[in-house]
Amino acid sequence: MIHTDISEILCLKPKTKKKTKKMEEEDVKKKKKTKMMKIEGELVVMKKNLLDFKDAMASLLDRIHELLGRRVSLHLISSLQPDPANEKRGRLGKAAYLEKWVTKIKTSVTAEETAFGVTFDWDESMGPPAAFVIKNHHHSQFYLKSLTLRNFPGGESGPIHFVCNSWIYPNHRYRSDRVFFSNKAYLPSETPELVKELREEELKNLRGNEKGGELKEWDRVYDYAYYNDLGAPDKCLDSARPVLGGSPELPYPRRGKTGRKPTKTDPKSESRLALLNLNIYVPRDERFSHVKFSDFLAYALKSVTQVLVPEIASVCDKTINEFDSFEDVFHLYDGSIKLANGQTISKLRDVIPWEMFRELVRNDGERFLKFPLPDVLKESRSAWRTDEEFAREMLAGLNPVVISRLQEFPPKSNLDFSKYGNQHSSIREEHIEQNMNGLNVQEALEQNKLYILDHHDALMPYLTRINSTNTKTYATRTLLLLQEDGTLKPLAIELSLPHAQGESHGSVSKVFTPAEKGVEGSVWQLAKAYAAVNDSGYHQLISHWLQTHAVIEPFIIASNRQLSVIHPIYKLLHPHFRDTMNINALARHILINADGVLERTVFPSRYAMEMSSSIYKSWVFTDQALPKDLLKRGVAVEDPSRDNGVKLLIEDYPFAVDGLEIWSAIKTWVTDYCSFYYKNDKTVQTDTEIQSWWTELRTEGHGDIQHESWWPSMQTLDELIETCTIIIWIASALHAAVNFGQYPYAGFLPNRPTVSRRFMPEPGTAEYTELAEDEDVAFLKTITPQLQTLLGISIIEILSMHSTDEIYLGQRDSPNWTADDEALEAFKRFGKTLEMIENNIIRRNGDKRFKNRTGPVNIPYTLLYPNTTDYTREGGLTGKGIPNSVSI
């Protein structure tokens, strides 16, 4: 409730009525029965609002409030004695206050934790406290990390821990008390009676009761909205974008609600904030930590300066917005100021205030005002152009989740014939058999030797519109042969366009085959570039954005609305939701919005998000399980004798090999954890919170596909285990595999171009002559131009950075995240398994038999290296590590 009693606000005792003699006698009796004791507690807080430079003034005002008696109070809540005013709740203990706030809180430019002592007067008959209420009567908010009660009598299990990790705003901002529970997990049916109502009320607060209007930073509301905030129709018609979600034509996962007003031009679209205003509403506890936000800003600032220097220089260049040679591209990474390594620079960083500026002076060898040298160039400046590396990156690059086994020849299309005509492949035996190492097509199919990178059907429905922009590209199919040494060999690339007479007339295709010399070799290099453009766009929009960022957000919203913080499944999943809503909100603001970075740097341009909506129609949650994904793509077959029930047909498939070990470790951990709380299927069926969570997730969070038959019914323990394993896999390992390889491979954009600006040169044209005379110039004129290249690599540099507060798979932000010893032991076993996987990955990377693990560019495959053993918190472009969540 909003408190209006000034005596309560000032923490002063209100006047009370004079007690009668009978009342005094009853008080004496109660005191005789009551055995009071002192409980010593430690409350850890942080008084830092991200990079809020007004924080010093706020701290001063808080001191004044403290001196006036407006303090921070806490009440413990009994687990045994009911509250006389409400017998469904535990009785509140006497108020206790944080001690020495004025002297302990420092006015500092860095974010520091401060531990406060707090002493509670407690009636021993009230039993162990199950929760506590905190009231902030100060001027401003603070971050509450934890409360620990260390000397509770009779506490055989040690201290009582309350893990909070929440921002506490002044009390008048809330409609109900801020309540925190101890770290003991309970299923709804097993919750202590005096805690049940508190548990249910806290969930109602987080749902917001359909709170109207724009949500404010202190609101703790989780709710759903369509993707109706990408366009800016009030700006101009060209900046309008369709609403994604809520219709069969344009389905989409839901995002977090902000409550901003609709636009004037289109009432279905939500208004947008100014570009430089990053204060987009997400629940306050979902926002970046001070360290993460400072890292994010520092990386962005550094990237902007790296863009501006060459862009300014290009004004005096002979061809503005063009790279004149590969030397121009290499110059982005060469030269500049090399920062010193070692003790001197480390000391310098330690004395620079504000985490943001410390990041600008790193000691990991990065060069100032130049882009770091991408891994793909470190060994050789030409190895990226080889056919072997082109193919290897489909198995071990930044998008290793698309390649599939060819099971019929020629490749077939699944597009609607009545709408798109004949879209089947024009590749024939005569195109490829001469390069098939003595095999014919039928033999290769029977021996599981033919594979395909197929982007044809995903792009073709949008290609006419895409090519009406500055983009000029194709829908591609790339055929490959699996060789005896385990490597893939490109056989042919098919480039297809819609028929000139209309889409219903089918496609017009050309097939290109490998060549090394002459103009044919130059044409082949361009054909690979067009295939890479397709794969780059698909990677950013589908593999990365849609299939990790977007699909996981509804799980976060539903979990916070329907699962109590003391529910064991909430405790299991919560680490895997960290920062996702915040990074997704920022993405909607500057990356995937109309005229945003993605539209400016990736080929689908203004049709990018609309295209991702069409792919979402075929997204299947259960197929995100790695073994099922591999089976569906045909790169594995069922094998009950194997741990995961599958056998890889490409044995040297680094993503799949490492991924299956990670998947198995996650599933074992989830199985051990869930089996401790759920003894049988009925326990799952009668868990009211789990059933509400799963219903809302399907009908609201992924409401556009709620009627699909593949959704688990959530009636068995096996379904719960598989569901939680998939969620953790998507949020951690899958995202790591498709995110952190971006700069190592695409930081040099010719290796992963995102745009093609002209079609394949035809013999007899000036472009063909140019290609024959100067292959490099023609190549650079075809792919992403200079400004888009600089913008693109600056963004993927940011996206590829690990934060200095990263928490990796197998790690937790607090060792006291649960009070259940069995769960803690299972988590320790999980960590040990991940350490073993780290050693396995190092061993495989050093085994010369596995050529795909390093390739011609000599980049060891470490994108699924868990990094569980790393607590250094260095961050940066490490190219390894699986964070717990989709946090960048």
Side-chain angles (χ1 to χ4, degrees):
M1 296 184 297
I2 298 176
H3 301 290
T4 55
D5 187 338
I6 192 67
S7 65
E8 183 174 358
I9 292 174
L10 295 176
C11 298
L12 301 175
K13 291 183 179 179
K15 290 182 179 180
T16 56
K17 294 179 180 179
K18 191 174 181 180
K19 293 184 177 181
T20 65
K21 188 175 180 181
K22 185 177 181 181
M23 290 170 66
E24 289 176 349
E25 289 174 354
E26 288 177 355
D27 285 345
V28 171
K29 289 179 181 178
K30 285 180 181 177
K31 285 180 180 177
K32 287 181 179 179
K33 291 180 180 178
T34 299
K35 184 178 180 183
M36 299 301 293
M37 58 185 180
K38 299 282 187 185
I39 300 178
E40 300 297 328
E42 181 183 80
L43 196 83
V44 179
V45 307
M46 187 167 61
K47 191 68 187 72
K48 177 76 173 174
N49 185 12
L50 298 178
L51 290 180
D52 189 351
F53 295 103
K54 298 177 182 177
D55 197 62
M57 177 58 70
S59 293
L60 176 61
L61 291 171
D62 288 340
R63 284 183 169 85
I64 294 172
H65 281 62
E66 187 80 11
L67 294 171
L68 290 174
R70 296 172 63 175
R71 304 171 66 186
V72 177
S73 66
L74 297 94
H75 296 261
L76 298 179
I77 301 175
S78 171
S79 61
L80 298 179
Q81 280 192 18
D83 188 331
N86 182 352
E87 294 188 353
K88 291 183 178 181
R89 297 188 179 196
R91 180 180 160 194
L92 265 65
K94 290 184 178 181
Y97 300 92
L98 294 196
E99 300 161 3
K100 302 179 181 178
W101 179 281
V102 173
T103 57
K104 282 204 168 189
I105 286 289
K106 300 175 183 177
T107 302
S108 173
V109 294
T110 57
E112 296 177 351
E113 292 179 0
T114 305
F116 288 93
V118 57
T119 303
F120 298 92
D121 290 322
W122 187 248
D123 181 348
E124 190 172 350
S125 67
M126 292 168 68
F132 74 90
V133 172
I134 186 166
K135 297 181 180 181
N136 175 13
H137 296 293
H138 284 175
H139 168 270
S140 58
Q141 67 271 29
F142 59 84
Y143 185 76
L144 174 59
K145 188 171 184 180
S146 63
L147 170 65
T148 304
L149 306 179
R150 297 198 180 280
N151 63 338
F152 190 83
E156 298 87 359
S157 58
I160 300 175
H161 296 281
F162 301 81
V163 180
C164 307
N165 292 327
S166 183
W167 285 91
I168 308 298
Y169 279 78
N171 210 47
H172 69 275
R173 296 294 188 189
Y174 298 122
R175 294 180 177 272
S176 57
D177 289 331
R178 292 300 314 273
V179 177
F180 293 92
F181 301 91
S182 71
N183 63 344
K184 176 69 177 172
Y186 295 102
L187 295 176
S189 61
E190 298 170 353
T191 308
E193 284 299 319
L194 298 181
V195 178
K196 284 183 177 179
E197 188 173 275
L198 285 172
R199 177 178 183 148
E200 292 166 4
E201 185 175 278
E202 179 67 0
L203 285 173
K204 289 178 182 176
N205 292 335
L206 294 172
R207 292 178 200 133
N209 297 320
E210 298 181 353
K211 181 178 175 4
E214 184 170 355
L215 296 168
K216 305 299 183 183
E217 63 177 274
W218 50 81
D219 286 320
R220 303 170 58 237
V221 174
Y222 293 80
D223 208 347
Y224 303 96
Y226 301 136
Y227 276 73
N228 63 348
D229 62 341
L230 302 180
D234 288 348
K235 180 180 177 182
C236 65
L237 184 62
D238 198 50
S239 294
R241 294 293 181 272
V243 174
L244 303 183
S247 69
E249 296 77 24
L250 293 172
Y252 222 65
R254 302 298 184 259
R255 63 168 175 93
K257 176 182 176 181
T258 67
R260 293 197 301 267
K261 293 180 180 179
T263 61
K264 296 175 183 178
T265 308
D266 178 11
K268 292 183 179 180
S269 293
E270 185 174 277
S271 57
R272 294 178 53 78
L273 300 178
L275 184 62
L276 295 180
N277 183 355
L278 300 183
N279 195 30
I280 310 143
Y281 175 79
V282 293
R284 186 65 182 84
D285 294 341
E286 300 295 337
R287 298 181 80 168
F288 290 164
S289 70
H290 64 285
V291 174
K292 179 64 171 272
F293 193 62
S294 61
D295 282 355
F296 184 82
L297 290 181
Y299 296 154
L301 178 60
K302 191 176 354 179
S303 290
V304 167
T305 61
Q306 291 165 170
V307 168
L308 290 177
V309 171
E311 192 58 24
I312 292 169
S314 76
V315 173
C316 303
D317 205 353
K318 61 182 181 181
T319 49
I320 295 175
N321 201 29
E322 291 285 358
F323 292 111
D324 296 321
S325 67
F326 275 104
E327 288 304 313
D328 281 359
V329 184
F330 295 141
H331 187 63
L332 297 175
Y333 320 102
D334 295 335
S336 74
I337 304 167
K338 180 75 162 62
L339 296 178
N341 280 306
Q343 196 172 14
T344 304
I345 197 68
S346 294
K347 286 183 178 179
L348 180 62
R349 291 178 65 213
D350 290 339
V351 298
I352 297 177
W354 299 307
E355 298 84 354
M356 171 179 163
F357 296 107
R358 288 173 58 189
E359 177 55 38
L360 292 175
V361 187
R362 294 182 59 84
N363 66 341
D364 58 3
E366 284 193 13
R367 295 175 179 270
F368 190 55
L369 296 183
K370 286 287 182 178
F371 289 103
L373 186 66
D375 289 352
V376 76
L377 294 179
K378 287 181 178 178
E379 185 77 10
S380 165
R381 296 202 167 181
S382 60
W384 64 274
R385 302 191 85 161
T386 63
D387 287 359
E388 182 182 345
E389 180 59 25
F390 170 72
R392 186 192 74 90
E393 290 181 20
M394 300 175 199
L395 304 174
L398 58 90
N399 192 29
V401 295
V402 180
I403 188 171
S404 61
R405 178 165 56 93
L406 191 64
Q407 300 187 48
E408 58 179 341
F409 187 89
K412 297 285 180 67
S413 170
N414 292 317
L415 291 175
D416 185 349
F417 187 89
S418 65
K419 188 174 182 179
Y420 297 104
N422 181 9
Q423 295 288 340
H424 300 322
S425 177
S426 61
I427 301 175
R428 296 294 181 266
E429 288 89 342
E430 56 266 27
H431 290 125
I432 61 175
E433 285 193 342
Q434 61 192 16
N435 288 319
M436 289 180 59
N437 300 347
L439 293 174
N440 60 44
V441 168
Q442 189 58 38
E443 290 170 338
L445 287 171
E446 291 171 357
Q447 296 176 34
N448 301 318
K449 297 287 189 182
L450 286 179
Y451 293 82
I452 186 170
L453 186 70
D454 192 348
H455 293 303
H456 182 280
D457 285 5
L459 267 65
M460 185 56 72
Y462 285 87
L463 209 51
T464 299
R465 282 173 284 175
I466 290 170
N467 285 338
S468 69
T469 68
N470 292 329
T471 294
K472 299 293 178 282
T473 197
Y474 302 90
T476 67
R477 292 183 176 105
T478 303
L479 257 62
L480 307 109
L481 177 72
L482 178 63
Q483 302 188 102
E484 292 302 318
D485 63 357
T487 62
L488 291 173
K489 176 183 183 180
L491 296 174
I493 295 174
E494 180 183 49
L495 306 181
S496 302
L497 290 170
H499 197 284
Q501 294 180 5
E503 291 180 341
S504 62
H505 291 271
S507 60
V508 177
S509 304
K510 290 188 176 181
V511 178
F512 299 88
T513 55
E516 294 182 3
K517 297 179 180 179
V519 70
E520 293 82 8
S522 303
V523 166
W524 174 243
Q525 290 296 329
L526 276 182
K528 290 194 294 182
Y530 289 117
V533 167
N534 272 199
D535 199 53
S536 293
Y538 192 93
H539 162 260
Q540 283 291 16
L541 288 169
I542 311 304
S543 304
H544 184 200
W545 166 256
L546 174 65
Q547 295 180 348
T548 62
H549 285 259
V551 300
I552 212 70
E553 187 162 356
F555 288 92
I556 300 170
I557 300 170
S559 296
N560 282 280
R561 286 169 56 87
Q562 300 297 340
L563 297 180
S564 166
V565 293
I566 58 175
H567 195 291
I569 299 303
Y570 182 92
K571 288 180 175 288
L572 172 69
L573 296 178
H574 183 250
H576 305 287
F577 298 154
R578 181 178 186 244
D579 294 338
T580 304
M581 290 187 73
N582 199 166
I583 195 62
N584 284 3
L586 289 171
R588 298 197 312 273
H589 189 56
I590 59 177
L591 290 180
I592 62 174
N593 57 301
D595 304 315
V597 173
L598 200 73
E599 286 195 0
R600 291 178 181 273
T601 60
V602 179
F603 78 88
S605 187
R606 61 177 292 126
Y607 303 104
M609 291 300 290
E610 194 176 333
M611 193 180 89
S612 74
S613 169
S614 70
I615 304 297
Y616 176 62
K617 293 177 183 177
S618 59
W619 181 78
V620 177
F621 173 73
T622 50
D623 286 349
Q624 306 312 300
L626 181 59
K628 287 188 178 179
D629 168 59
L630 298 171
L631 290 170
K632 187 175 182 179
R633 290 191 283 123
V635 294
V637 292
E638 291 184 355
D639 185 347
S641 68
R642 307 269 176 142
D643 288 343
N644 289 292
V646 298
K647 174 186 176 183
L648 291 173
L649 296 177
I650 306 175
E651 292 184 16
D652 185 12
Y653 186 172
F655 162 75
V657 172
D658 297 357
L660 284 171
E661 288 190 357
I662 298 292
W663 169 269
S664 181
I666 294 171
K667 187 160 188 179
T668 299
W669 149 237
V670 172
T671 301
D672 291 347
Y673 182 88
C674 290
S675 299
F676 172 66
Y677 297 100
Y678 296 90
K679 302 306 180 186
N680 49 50
D681 293 342
K682 188 175 181 180
T683 325
V684 176
Q685 296 162 12
T686 57
D687 185 334
T688 54
E689 288 185 9
I690 280 292
Q691 295 304 321
S692 297
W693 169 67
W694 194 241
T695 298
E696 182 173 290
L697 184 280
R698 289 189 342 266
T699 60
E700 297 287 342
H702 284 281
D704 296 334
I705 54 174
Q706 61 180 291
H707 299 299
E708 298 293 341
S709 60
W710 44 257
W711 283 108
S713 61
M714 203 53 69
Q715 296 297 299
T716 67
L717 177 55
D718 285 344
E719 285 181 322
L720 178 62
I721 290 169
E722 184 78 356
T723 294
C724 292
T725 304
I726 292 172
I727 293 169
I728 295 172
W729 164 259
I730 292 172
S732 59
L734 180 59
H735 178 258
V738 297
N739 182 75
F740 294 102
Q742 291 186 84
Y743 196 82
Y745 286 101
F748 178 62
L749 217 63
N751 184 52
R752 298 283 301 177
T754 57
V755 170
S756 51
R757 295 177 283 159
R758 60 187 191 182
F759 294 121
M760 180 70 81
E762 296 287 346
T765 63
E767 289 83 1
Y768 193 84
T769 302
E770 180 183 55
L771 181 65
E773 293 175 352
D774 194 328
E775 173 191 354
D776 289 352
V777 168
F779 187 94
L780 292 170
K781 281 185 177 181
T782 300
I783 64 167
T784 320
Q786 179 171 299
L787 178 58
Q788 283 95 320
T789 293
L790 296 171
L791 284 173
I793 61 178
S794 68
I795 288 297
I796 63 174
E797 182 190 9
I798 296 170
L799 298 182
S800 301
M801 292 274 193
H802 283 287
S803 171
T804 52
D805 72 343
E806 203 82 89
I807 301 174
Y808 294 104
L809 194 64
Q811 299 177 352
R812 287 268 179 160
D813 61 352
S814 169
N816 304 310
W817 61 274
T818 182
D820 297 318
D821 290 337
E822 291 85 350
L824 291 172
E825 285 301 315
F827 190 67
K828 282 183 183 177
R829 293 195 296 273
F830 179 46
K832 292 294 183 184
T833 302
L834 293 173
E835 289 180 31
M836 181 181 69
I837 293 172
E838 289 180 359
N839 293 328
N840 292 345
I841 290 172
I842 292 171
R843 175 181 52 77
R844 285 193 291 265
N845 284 344
D847 192 327
K848 299 300 181 183
R849 293 176 300 166
F850 303 132
K851 294 185 177 182
N852 294 327
R853 297 200 68 90
T854 54
V857 294
N858 196 26
I859 303 177
Y861 188 73
T862 55
L863 295 176
L864 288 177
Y865 182 89
N867 224 30
T868 307
T869 54
D870 182 11
Y871 288 89
T872 62
R873 301 291 186 252
E874 271 300 309
L877 286 171
T878 65
K880 66 178 181 180
I882 303 175
N884 271 325
S885 61
V886 179
S887 58
I888 190 66

